[in-house]
Amino acid sequence: MKITGVPAFQDNYIWCLERDGRALVVDPGDADPVLDHLAASGTALAAILITHHHNDHAGGIAGLVRRFDVPVFGPALEDIAGVTVKVREGDTVRVPQLDAQFSVIELPGHTLGHVAYYRPNQLFCGDTLFACGCGRLFEGTPAQMLASLSKLASLPGDTQVYCAHEYTQSNIRFALAVEPGNQRLIARWEQVNALRQAGLPSVPSTLETERETNPFLRAGESAVIAAARARGADDSPVAVFAALREWKNRY
Ligand code: ZN
Ligand code: FE
């Protein structure tokens, strides 16, 4: 399976999975870059997967289904124009043209109906888990988001994390303010800067890297607790997580 991050808008990636001349896309916020990519690779679209209702993830559905008559999978708990198959926790999404199937993971927090699509070694997690960060809490509570991130954190360490935005450098800058002594984080900063300077994406990362460096997966680590406590939080994981998220919003 070939996986390409088709760039869209300022910093979105529309993930395009291709096999034997067929493709599926995750979160096409814009149809045009996807149509250009498919034309350039001579590939036909077979399915669309949507993680949540924001326009930078779902705005390209209409333009794609005008050209390709394909199923559009999306969260059952959100009302998204163009979604034809509503999915819930534990459902299996099958795309036979690519011989691919994904399990659906519900992840309330960024939005209330947000879902991820997972198959062994690959996680398409929209705006929930970012490389070294997490999505803003537009609809859910800190407790919901923390529970959602904990679900993802329990996946195997070699899982490739395909998030939907290139936010990694600013996320690492914040993570270094939280954990200035985290050696793996310092190494990641160098690696990501080198990638970006070469014009390359910083994603996917792996879940192991996220567990070692992403402060939002580390609300139980003593250094992270200490940083949150210095900003007024008590030691409970939800309070630590909420303090981190608030801090990042204003960072
Ligand atoms: Zn979003
Ligand atoms: Fe987004």
Side-chain angles (χ1 to χ4, degrees):
M1 192 88 79
K2 183 184 162 209
I3 306 185
T4 309
V6 176
F9 308 116
Q10 291 295 308
D11 48 36
N12 283 70
Y13 291 121
I14 300 168
W15 294 107
C16 182
L17 286 67
E18 292 163 68
R19 175 181 277 163
D20 299 333
R22 302 301 180 99
L24 70 83
V25 290
V26 183
D27 283 354
D30 190 1
D32 289 340
V34 174
L35 292 171
D36 290 347
H37 175 79
L38 296 174
S41 60
T43 305
L45 193 63
I48 299 171
L49 278 57
I50 303 292
T51 64
H52 68 292
H53 67 82
H54 289 158
N55 210 50
D56 64 310
H57 298 253
I61 295 173
L64 291 176
V65 297
R66 212 174 291 135
R67 171 79 176 74
F68 297 101
D69 182 19
V70 299
V72 182
F73 299 89
L77 299 177
E78 296 188 354
D79 204 17
I80 302 172
V83 166
T84 57
V85 186
K86 297 202 163 214
V87 297
R88 298 226 43 167
E89 175 84 17
D91 284 354
T92 300
V93 168
R94 289 189 176 80
V95 185
Q97 297 90 335
L98 282 86
D99 191 24
Q101 56 182 54
F102 302 84
S103 47
V104 175
I105 305 173
E106 289 181 344
L107 302 169
H110 177 69
T111 65
L112 284 174
H114 196 302
V115 297
Y117 299 93
Y118 172 73
R119 62 188 209 122
N121 297 319
Q122 293 165 3
L123 174 69
F124 298 89
C125 50
D127 286 355
T128 295
L129 176 62
F130 289 130
C132 218
C134 76
R136 285 175 185 263
L137 303 185
F138 285 120
E139 298 175 14
T141 64
Q144 283 176 312
M145 188 60 147
L146 181 61
S148 294
L149 291 170
S150 302
K151 266 172 150 174
L152 298 183
S154 71
L155 294 171
D158 61 357
T159 302
Q160 305 270 311
V161 178
Y162 292 89
C163 62
H165 289 270
E166 179 63 61
Y167 289 158
T168 317
Q169 280 174 309
S170 65
N171 285 343
I172 297 180
R173 214 172 286 127
F174 171 73
L176 283 165
V178 178
E179 277 192 288
N182 182 332
Q183 293 304 316
R184 289 210 159 87
L185 183 58
I186 293 164
R188 189 176 191 186
W189 174 240
E190 311 272 315
Q191 287 157 4
V192 164
N193 286 339
L195 285 170
R196 298 303 293 148
Q197 255 158 34
L200 297 169
S202 69
V203 288
S205 62
T206 68
L207 208 47
E208 183 182 21
T209 297
E210 296 310 321
R211 286 195 293 245
E212 288 170 347
T213 57
N214 187 329
F216 296 99
L217 299 186
R218 296 171 61 78
E221 296 289 325
S222 54
V224 177
I225 293 170
R229 195 195 275 143
R231 307 187 72 83
D234 66 44
D235 289 3
S236 80
V238 172
V240 169
F241 176 80
L244 289 178
R245 190 57 260 180
E246 275 292 304
W247 182 4
K248 175 68 164 65
N249 289 347
R250 283 183 259 99
Y251 190 73

